[in-house]
């Protein structure tokens, strides 16, 4: 099939891109700073005013250990302090718990035995997937026992006619997707942390990611679940039917429950056919107004083939260039905004034609200043890396405050501008001056979903910076009727802020459900609600 | 844009179709038999062995009526026996309740006042939308008070940038879709009853319909809900954010709860862009195996533009021809199966090309015997009527037993064959012999969703016929790990059969939720669970 090249004069088509994809940065568990050089302060100390250990929880003793040893083999139990660190800390290196025990069950029955014992003995637990969360939700705050799903990592079955995958919760997202690729299917979720995160953790956090625009939310694509309730009950609801209207859809409560109702041990999920053709265009845009116009036009003209519409501001690209050590793919200048558009379809020829018509129109109308289209898979990966490397790039100075929010489109970028103004007013931000605690606030995210990632890149975490940001950011969002957590969840970070997004009745009903399923409160305490 | 015609010799292209669309049959509230000539037996009498009135519910008295008159104006209260009949009976004329009172509130606050009173006084209620349900779920069994949502029928708001619609529960589906059409959007649900059913009822029943294949389930597209709980609490969760991970997604419990947890009064829903191009092909296929192969091929080759894949068996089309009084659009013979394929996309030229390539391949491989493609909107409507008129056509003899089930694709049509064999063995079925109670079992439905509509067309409802069908049908489905209700719900008909699709733990947890929200059991009793 012949690739027709767009002939618009001002359009620079990428021929040989410098950075080839395969080696490119995915979000990994460890950020820039290395383990040995810096100790993450204990969450219990950093937030001593906010949270104290609840004495109702039992402290782990030898008898408890004996019980766990009767359930699990020795290599599924971690008690060594150095080994525990990996599980106690989050990847942003913002939170550190003090758990003395990690359990790695291999079967649902083992999870059930463990939870039943913990519930009866009031031992608090934290379920942990790939430990890639961004709100401290999967790390202990005090001495909670960590139950890691990493040893439950089997694909259970796949039906190539219906496209339904059944798998253990601990399967890594990328592994699941690679398995599906061989069958001509795709996992209906993709995100930067795919190389580490678990599909069970994705469901527990209702992850959104890069292609929600196309494949919808997990509330629609998850068909069944297996979960263990705090009392050890195994809720086996691993259905594989696209339609099933027999009773309340209880599995939905677990989607986005962040390990506070039980532990998800298996999922059944509907996977779409893998697109036969894919295109990625990277565009330079001169204003946020133009970004919105390009989006509305893309949705109209690319409709059924549009699979991602991501935007990035100038600062995010500056930090990413520094992090990757590369020149930006758009060489003709420094632009306020960049947009990544991906199309996925069944005919390369048709998709090329639609994309080129769309881009031609957008340039003619002056919405797009410059842009490139990837010419092969390596270039597709390379362009995506300029979006997917941002989370790592923002930690370049040492740390990052992450706010993942939903805001009506027209107002969305205003939050980044207002936060930067506020940081500058406080005199605490500078990209160059290393004595300032903050580098800058920057924004990127999924325009198609009204989802902004506001990142405040810092040289160190400090209460001073935090007090400039919070509750200001939450108040700003509540004022626009947005959500303080679009896809990252509440976790530890946002536990006290749910009132900015939910009313009193909603919060009351949520608390009732928590008490209904976990009356002893052993599941992931100090978080969520 | 030039329409390229497929030149395959054996392919009869529809040029001027006899039946033009606009006047065509939609599923209406009243079936063939007219009201005056035949009285539907009381549900309480037909099923006297299965269900008795629960004495814990108070009987309506004058004091109650006085209260309702203090809340609602006179024209929102129905007590006249003839007027009550419309609300007491279902459209299949299978169920008839004995309610003495219909209330038609206009506001959420009125609903709250009514429910609070009923809950305090243990008056049982039945919420009712368009009364188009197929399992007796929206009609009273005894003297429950009917709360009709038909006076809550306002569009509240629509955002043309995000495509988010907010509306009262009582808006008729077709009205909502027509409103959206003017804005370039489409309601993400379509079904035969669209001219009568309410969007709130659709959500309460988690309706699936004709385009779930393309737009996914309501669990994915409903973004927010407003509902009144039995105690009168207004659960205002009318969010309009595509992503919001702040707390358990409680609205999901109401989707598919069939009025047993509370009354949905408003919905917020994400609507896709209305496709700019649409094609419909109607194909004749010689075996069920070939139907499956055509489906797999259609999903692969038409992928992102495939918006419906419906199949119909020979008997369903024979009855429909009789009902419509028309010759079948495929004139070249009598075929065992028919398939309707719809594509929706942004480029007519591209979609035509994809569809024609697909059909050419399918014919070349001998999967398709004959077929037609609609040439204009009227023909599209006309072809759809051969699918959408089936539900009405099946009542041609007087009544119909409807089973709406999910079964893995390979086994799906086997159920129709086995039921027909069983009816013939019992000597109770004949299309011609009017002395037999049954005409025939027939099958049609949404292959793309693994959803079969097994309809047993009867001349009269009788316990004899029922005993041949049940629990046989449910056992057959359980044996294949299917669902006894794909999209119609449990209602009155399937209340006792949930155990064929859900295990004991699931049922226990479902009952707990019911008791949690409706401890007095006033919401739609004798049904669901």
């Amino acid at each position: 099939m012949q690739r027709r090249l767009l002939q618009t004069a001002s359009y620079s088509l990428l021929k040989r891109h410098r950075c080839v994809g395969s080696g490119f940065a995915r979000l990994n568990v460890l950020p820039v700073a290395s383990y040995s050089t810096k100790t993450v302060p204990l969450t219990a100390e950093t937030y001593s005013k906010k949270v104290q250990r609840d004495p109702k929880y039992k402290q782990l003793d030898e008898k408890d250990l004996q019980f766990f040893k009767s359930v699990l083999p020795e290599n599924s139990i971690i008690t060594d302090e150095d080994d525990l660190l990996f599980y106690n800390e989050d990847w942003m290196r913002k939170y550190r718990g003090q758990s003395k025990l990690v359990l790695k069950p291999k079967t649902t029955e083992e999870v059930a035995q463990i939870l039943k014992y913990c519930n009866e003995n009031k031992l608090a637990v934290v379920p942990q997937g790939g430990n890639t969360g961004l709100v401290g939700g999967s790390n202990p705050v005090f001495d909670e026992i960590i139950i890691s799903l990493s040893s439950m990592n089997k694909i259970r079955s796949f039906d190539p006619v219906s496209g339904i995958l059944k798998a253990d919760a601990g399967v890594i997202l990328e592994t699941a997707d690679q398995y599906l690729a061989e069958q001509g299917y795709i996992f209906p979720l993709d995100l930067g942390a795919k190389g580490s995160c678990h599909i069970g953790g994705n469901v527990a956090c209702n992850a959104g990611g890069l292609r929600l625009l196309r494949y919808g939310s997990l509330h629609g694509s998850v068909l069944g679940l297996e979960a263990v309730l705090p009392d050890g009950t195994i809720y086996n609801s691993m259905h594989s039917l696209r339609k099933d209207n027999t009773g309340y859809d209880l599995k939905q409560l677990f989607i986005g429950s962040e390990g506070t109702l039980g532990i998800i041990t298996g999922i059944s999920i509907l996977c779409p056919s893998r697109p036969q053709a894919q295109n990625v265009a990277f565009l330079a845009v001169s204003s946020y107004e133009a970004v919105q116009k390009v989006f509305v036009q893309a949705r109209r003209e690319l409709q059924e083939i549009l699979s991602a519409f991501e935007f990035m501001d100038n600062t995010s690209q500056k930090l990413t260039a520094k992090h990757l050590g590369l020149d930006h793919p758009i060489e003709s200048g420094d632009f306020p905004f960049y947009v990544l558009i991906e199309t996925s379809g069944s005919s390369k020829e048709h998709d090329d034609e639609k994309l080129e018509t769309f881009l031609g129109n957008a340039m003619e109308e002056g919405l797009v200043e410059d842009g490139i289209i990837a010419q092969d898979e390596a270039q597709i990966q390379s362009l995506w890396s300029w979006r997917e490397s941002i989370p790592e790039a923002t930690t370049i100075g040492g740390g990052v405050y992450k706010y993942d929010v939903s805001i009506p489109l027209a107002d969305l970028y205003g939050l980044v501008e207002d936060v930067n103004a506020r940081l500058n007013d406080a005199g605490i931000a500078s990209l160059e001056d290393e004595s300032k605690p903050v580098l800058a606030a920057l924004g990127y995210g999924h325009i198609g979903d009204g989802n902004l990632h506001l990142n405040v890149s810092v040289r160190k975490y400090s209460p001073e910076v935090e007090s400039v940001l919070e509750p200001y950011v939450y108040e700003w969002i509540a004022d626009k009727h947005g959500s303080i957590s679009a896809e990252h969840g509440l976790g530890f970070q946002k536990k006290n802020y749910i009132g900015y997004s939910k009313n009193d009745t909603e919060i009351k009903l949520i608390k009732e459900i928590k008490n209904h399923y976990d009356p002893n409160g052993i599941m992931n305490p100090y978080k969520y609600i």
Side-chain angles (χ1 to χ4, degrees), chain A:
Chain A
M1 218 171 282
Q2 188 89 37
R3 178 91 171 88
R4 279 164 293 170
L5 302 180
L6 196 66
Q7 295 304 322
T8 319
S10 62
Y11 216 77
S12 66
L13 275 156
L14 189 86
K15 298 287 185 195
R16 248 179 256 120
H17 198 271
R18 285 166 306 274
C19 45
V20 220
S22 63
F24 253 132
R26 293 276 178 187
L27 192 67
N28 285 314
V29 174
L30 297 181
V32 281
S34 84
Y35 255 152
S36 53
T37 56
K38 199 175 149 193
T39 308
V40 178
L42 291 175
T43 308
E45 285 170 8
T46 315
Y47 299 94
S48 60
K49 285 188 188 143
K50 185 177 154 185
V51 66
Q52 275 89 44
R53 186 182 184 285
D54 190 329
K56 79 175 175 183
Y57 299 119
K58 181 177 182 298
Q59 284 185 331
L60 188 75
D61 63 23
E62 192 49 41
K63 196 178 132 272
D64 304 323
L65 269 178
Q66 287 309 318
F67 173 80
F68 296 126
K69 281 178 184 165
S70 77
V71 175
L72 300 180
E74 206 161 319
N75 62 4
S76 299
I77 298 178
I78 298 172
T79 53
D80 176 86
E81 200 160 328
D82 288 344
D83 296 341
L84 286 169
L85 196 57
F86 175 88
Y87 303 89
N88 267 320
E89 278 189 9
D90 76 316
W91 83 266
M92 288 186 304
R93 313 210 69 207
K94 195 171 163 193
Y95 303 105
R96 179 155 68 96
Q98 305 164 61
S99 182
K100 302 275 179 263
L101 179 65
V102 174
L103 301 174
K104 299 172 84 173
K106 280 193 170 64
T107 67
T108 306
E109 288 68 29
E110 287 174 358
V111 176
Q113 283 180 269
I114 293 166
L115 276 194
K116 186 169 187 293
Y117 180 87
C118 291
N119 192 48
E120 284 168 357
N121 290 280
K122 297 215 170 44
L123 285 158
V125 304
V126 182
Q128 190 175 90
N131 197 5
T132 60
L134 297 166
V135 288
S138 65
N139 307 99
V141 178
F142 298 100
D143 58 343
E144 302 89 271
I145 296 170
I146 298 169
I147 301 177
S148 165
L149 277 294
S150 54
S151 294
M152 288 189 67
N153 54 9
K154 303 276 181 302
I155 303 280
R156 297 189 190 178
S157 67
F158 179 70
D159 175 358
V161 176
S162 64
I164 295 168
L165 174 79
K166 292 185 181 184
D168 285 354
V171 171
I172 288 172
L173 175 56
E174 199 163 45
T175 307
D177 190 55
Q178 281 164 356
Y179 172 87
L180 288 166
E182 288 163 20
Q183 325 269 334
Y185 284 82
I186 187 169
F187 202 90
L189 171 77
D190 189 20
L191 61 161
K194 62 158 57 166
S196 307
C197 65
H198 293 182
I199 57 172
N202 295 148
V203 173
C205 297
N206 189 28
L210 304 164
R211 294 195 183 93
L212 186 128
L213 178 70
R214 175 68 165 271
Y215 301 122
S217 95
L218 291 172
H219 287 291
S221 51
V222 172
L223 300 180
L225 274 189
E226 181 187 76
V228 179
L229 304 184
D231 67 0
T233 298
I234 297 175
Y235 168 64
N236 176 357
S237 195
M238 283 289 278
H239 300 284
S240 52
L241 301 166
R242 184 144 188 195
K243 287 176 167 177
D244 177 21
N245 275 352
T246 55
Y248 310 128
D249 197 356
L250 295 183
K251 69 169 184 289
Q252 300 286 354
L253 290 178
F254 293 88
I255 303 174
S257 63
E258 302 183 31
T260 61
L261 295 181
I263 298 187
I264 295 171
T265 51
I267 70 163
S268 167
I269 189 162
L270 183 69
C271 303
S273 293
R274 205 165 190 93
Q276 284 145 35
Q278 207 161 39
N279 284 317
V280 169
F282 206 98
L283 314 176
V285 182
S286 63
S287 70
Y288 181 64
E289 283 62 40
V291 170
Q292 293 176 72
K293 283 183 186 157
V294 175
F295 171 59
V296 170
Q297 196 159 322
R299 205 175 44 183
R300 196 173 53 234
E301 296 185 21
L302 302 174
Q303 225 179 76
E304 72 277 11
I305 62 166
L306 187 64
S307 54
F309 191 104
E310 301 284 310
F311 95 109
M312 295 140 275
D313 71 4
N314 182 283
T315 309
S316 76
Q317 293 300 282
K318 271 213 180 81
L319 294 187
T320 304
K322 206 167 165 187
H323 171 67
L324 296 177
L326 294 169
D327 291 336
H328 198 269
I330 293 190
E331 297 160 320
S332 60
D334 206 28
F335 297 92
F337 293 95
Y338 298 91
V339 162
L340 184 153
I341 292 177
E342 184 192 77
T343 68
S344 304
S346 57
S347 161
K348 181 86 175 105
E349 197 185 337
H350 290 168
D351 293 0
D352 286 352
E353 201 180 311
K354 286 189 182 96
L355 183 61
E356 283 161 17
T357 305
F358 158 73
L359 290 175
N361 292 342
M363 294 202 67
E364 209 163 286
E365 289 169 33
L367 298 176
V368 169
E369 303 298 319
D370 195 1
I372 51 185
I373 303 178
Q375 298 299 299
D376 55 34
E377 180 55 29
Q379 291 186 356
I380 285 178
Q381 291 299 326
S382 162
L383 288 182
W384 262 115
S385 79
W386 285 88
R387 163 64 185 82
E388 291 194 276
S389 300
I390 300 173
E392 267 190 295
T394 57
T395 65
I396 206 162
V400 60
Y401 287 95
K402 298 181 87 74
Y403 300 92
D404 150 57
V405 304
S406 284
I407 302 172
L409 215 56
D411 296 319
L412 189 136
Y413 196 71
L415 177 60
V416 182
E417 291 168 336
D418 288 357
V419 167
N420 265 323
R422 197 170 154 87
L423 291 166
N424 290 330
D425 287 353
I428 55 174
S430 168
L431 272 174
E432 295 79 26
D433 182 351
E434 301 216 346
S435 73
K436 305 284 187 189
V438 177
L439 285 90
L442 55 97
Y444 60 99
H446 322 293
I447 280 281
D449 315 324
N451 182 185
L452 168 74
H453 293 304
L454 163 69
N455 280 204
V456 182
S457 184
V458 295
R459 296 187 175 88
K460 61 172 185 177
Y461 296 114
S462 83
E464 182 201 3
V465 174
E466 237 159 272
S467 70
V468 173
L469 296 173
E470 299 175 19
Y472 175 79
V473 167
Y474 300 125
E475 284 167 356
W476 199 99
I477 295 159
D479 190 49
K480 309 286 182 194
H481 305 290
S483 168
I484 62 156
S485 175
E487 57 178 13
H488 293 173
L490 294 167
F492 179 76
Q493 186 193 340
K494 297 179 186 173
K495 173 189 159 52
N496 295 330
Y497 301 114
I498 184 172
Y500 288 103
S501 289
K502 291 273 155 81
N503 60 43
D504 290 347
T505 303
E506 291 174 295
I507 294 171
K508 177 175 168 280
L509 294 172
I510 287 169
K511 284 186 172 165
E512 281 177 11
I513 287 289
K514 167 72 178 173
N515 292 337
H516 179 74
Y517 286 105
D518 183 24
N520 291 339
I522 63 158
M523 299 303 306
N524 217 0
Y526 317 109
K527 296 168 192 157
Y528 199 71
I529 185 81

